[in-house]
Amino acid sequence: MLDVAIVGGGVCGLALAHSLHARRLDWALYEARPRLGGRVLTRRTAHGVAVDLGPSWFWPTNNPSLARLVADLGLATIEQPDDGRVLLLDDAGQPPRLLPLHPATGTLAEGMVPEPGAVHGGAQRLAEGMTALVDAFAGTLPAARIHLAQPIARLVDAGDHVVLHLRGGSTVQARRVVLEIGRAHV
């Protein structure tokens, strides 16, 4: 019987797995999708540029735990480019316009001098895309404890443990279950 079954392989599920593994507890992670990361997904362009299709940046001053984690995992960061202007397309018949954003009011104004940092306020990106965070976590964990494409059909409280019924018909018993579910997978 497992100490902990983690349902969901997003960043939170992976962080928990990382912590449990460091404490030498018996755990396993079950992810419905055939990949880890949850809403985090990075794709590369034909030129090799990492493009995040989910979460893209973080703010070190507002997210100090994430900033510490990124540093601890040795991930390279880059500043989110921010010259104080936004691209505005408000007329489909005209090309988009670059307009300065007023940092205090959030309004756009032609003729105003752009203030660098007004749009993203010190946001950082991972140099290789947010999937680098998922890959760094996964790289610290034993692959045998991670079960991809394993949706949970139901959970049953058995008193002193929980029984996970996997969609394929097998079952897993665990003393505790942590659900890290962003949305239902159909």
Side-chain angles (χ1 to χ4, degrees):
M1 180 181 310
L2 292 170
D3 288 325
V4 181
I6 304 166
V7 178
V11 172
C12 290
L14 289 167
L16 176 59
H18 181 79
S19 177
L20 294 173
H21 188 66
R23 290 180 174 87
R24 301 188 192 288
L25 291 173
D26 188 24
W27 61 273
L29 184 146
Y30 299 88
E31 168 56 47
R33 294 178 178 159
R35 65 169 183 83
L36 293 171
R39 292 188 174 130
V40 173
L41 182 62
T42 306
R43 293 289 188 235
R44 295 214 172 263
T45 66
H47 301 291
V49 176
V51 177
D52 286 312
L53 303 177
S56 300
W57 50 76
F58 67 99
W59 290 262
T61 55
N62 295 348
N63 311 116
S65 295
L66 182 57
R68 219 174 11 263
L69 176 63
V70 166
D72 289 349
L73 291 170
L75 301 173
T77 62
I78 55 174
E79 284 189 39
Q80 172 65 26
D82 184 353
D83 69 358
R85 300 179 299 167
V86 297
L87 192 61
L88 176 67
L89 178 60
D90 57 350
D91 182 347
Q94 297 294 319
R97 300 177 289 150
L98 268 174
L99 295 175
L101 176 75
H102 190 280
T105 64
T107 58
L108 303 175
E110 296 217 32
M112 187 174 71
V113 176
E115 184 178 320
V119 178
H120 297 292
Q124 296 278 308
R125 298 179 76 103
L126 296 183
E128 297 300 316
M130 290 301 273
T131 298
L133 178 61
V134 172
D135 293 344
F137 268 138
T140 68
L141 302 172
R145 293 188 179 263
I146 297 175
H147 307 279
L148 300 177
Q150 295 293 316
I152 306 300
R154 67 187 172 117
L155 300 171
V156 177
D157 182 350
D160 64 343
H161 68 282
V162 177
V163 180
L164 290 79
H165 292 264
L166 304 177
R167 192 166 290 161
S170 61
T171 60
V172 175
Q173 296 182 28
R175 288 181 183 82
R176 294 175 191 87
V177 174
V178 177
L179 304 175
E180 190 262 341
I181 301 173
R183 63 182 173 99
H185 303 284
V186 182

